[in-house]
Amino acid sequence: MMRIDVLTLFPEAFESIFASSIVQRAQKKDLLRIVLTNIRDFAQDNYNSVDDKPYGGGPGMVMMPGPVFDCFEHVEKLSSEKGPVILLTPQGRKFGQKKAVELSKEKRLILITGRYEGFDERIRIGLGAEQISIGDFVLSGGELAAMVVIDAVVRLLEGAIGDESSAGDDSFSEGLLEYPQYTRPEVFRDMKVPDILLSGDHEKIAQWRRQMALERTKKHRPDLLKNNF
Ligand code: 9D3
């Protein structure tokens, strides 16, 4: 059983992950429990402030430490299971399949997502949080990034995926891009399915697929062959 706590200013934004069949199956089978907690419920002033201007000046607003710490201390106590505390930030280490596999082995994850220009530095330090980014592009907040991490992790949980697909089958788990796939019809708008796939020669088919996967990876993602996995 994995418990994922999410600390966020926009719990409503996470509703869509509960619509995912994998998340539904995992929660029904008691492999997973996702609990959302609104950081704003831990605001400490009459305006329910969770952000303020940066000391030293500059653009935007910064997430205040008080509400995040209080929220964290409340959430931490909701379960006795221990696990990594993850802050979703553009400054974090880049998320990938290797990290997803690592996180999938934990009993508990505590994800903290922010809005505004960033977190007060004392949040990173005080919570002993690991920082994760999902890539080099600018999002409006950490919510989508947390959902990406949750989706990648949950589909690796034993029993979360039905027989129709296998998590270990993903080409990324071998460090190569997927080979070309075809289904019916045999000819579509003058484009024919490669003869080899219709040959019934499983040895030759496997060989062809390996070759195609390698060629595609070389062409589109040469970085993968230099092994970042
Ligand atoms: C001008 C400096 N910006 C940092 C690159 C400010 C800034 C932009 C976007 C601060 C926070 C955000 C909101 N993004 C996230 O919280 C975030 C994120 C992302 O934007 N890209 C990739 N991964 C992530 S994880 C969290």
Side-chain angles (χ1 to χ4, degrees), residues 189-219:
R189 302 200 182 182
D190 289 339
M191 295 177 282
K192 197 183 172 313
V193 174
D195 285 330
I196 189 130
L197 297 178
L198 309 171
S199 70
D201 185 338
H202 298 294
E203 186 73 40
K204 277 252 157 52
I205 291 171
Q207 217 180 320
W208 179 83
R209 285 179 165 166
R210 267 194 303 277
Q211 183 61 32
M212 295 305 282
L214 204 61
E215 277 176 25
R216 275 188 164 185
T217 309
K218 234 182 266 176
K219 180 148 189 260

Side-chain angles (χ1 to χ4, degrees), residues 10 32 71 106 111 174 208 210:
F10 292 101
L32 173 71
C71 183
E106 300 284 352
L111 306 181
E174 290 178 71
W208 179 83
R210 267 194 303 277

Side-chain angles (χ1 to χ4, degrees), residues 88-91 114 116-118 132-135 137-142 145:
L88 284 308
T89 74
Q91 292 80 38
Y116 318 113
E117 285 305 295
I132 290 182
S133 156
I134 61 163
F137 39 81
V138 182
L139 299 171
S140 308

Side-chain angles (χ1 to χ4, degrees), residues 43-59:
Q44 297 164 336
D45 64 13
N46 291 331
Y47 308 99
N48 282 342
S49 308
V50 291
D51 62 310
D52 208 338
K53 293 173 291 189
Y55 278 122

Side-chain angles (χ1 to χ4, degrees), residues 70 84 87 93 104 106 119 123 136 158-159 161 170 186 193-194:
D70 282 4
L87 210 54
R93 299 277 295 271
S104 73
E106 300 284 352
F119 295 97
I123 295 171
D136 296 335
E158 198 70 53
I161 290 197
D170 295 351
E186 241 180 81
V193 174

Side-chain angles (χ1 to χ4, degrees), residues 36-134:
L36 304 169
T37 304
N38 194 335
I39 296 169
R40 197 173 294 277
D41 292 344
F42 297 84
Q44 297 164 336
D45 64 13
N46 291 331
Y47 308 99
N48 282 342
S49 308
V50 291
D51 62 310
D52 208 338
K53 293 173 291 189
Y55 278 122
M61 300 289 269
V62 175
M63 297 271 289
M64 298 161 71
V68 177
F69 268 73
D70 282 4
C71 183
F72 176 79
E73 282 159 5
H74 166 84
V75 165
E76 199 184 24
K77 284 187 276 215
L78 297 177
S79 160
S80 56
E81 294 292 356
K82 301 277 167 274
V85 179
I86 296 164
L87 210 54
L88 284 308
T89 74
Q91 292 80 38
R93 299 277 295 271
K94 174 109 66 66
F95 185 69
Q97 193 63 17
K98 184 172 158 218
K99 178 55 81 175
V101 169
E102 196 181 302
L103 295 180
S104 73
K105 294 172 179 154
E106 300 284 352
K107 307 279 281 177
R108 185 159 192 210
L109 304 177
I110 301 183
L111 306 181
I112 307 176
T113 72
R115 282 267 152 171
Y116 318 113
E117 285 305 295
F119 295 97
D120 182 298
E121 194 60 24
R122 291 163 293 190
I123 295 171
R124 307 167 206 275
I125 301 166
L127 300 184
E130 173 178 355
Q131 295 180 72
I132 290 182
S133 156
I134 61 163

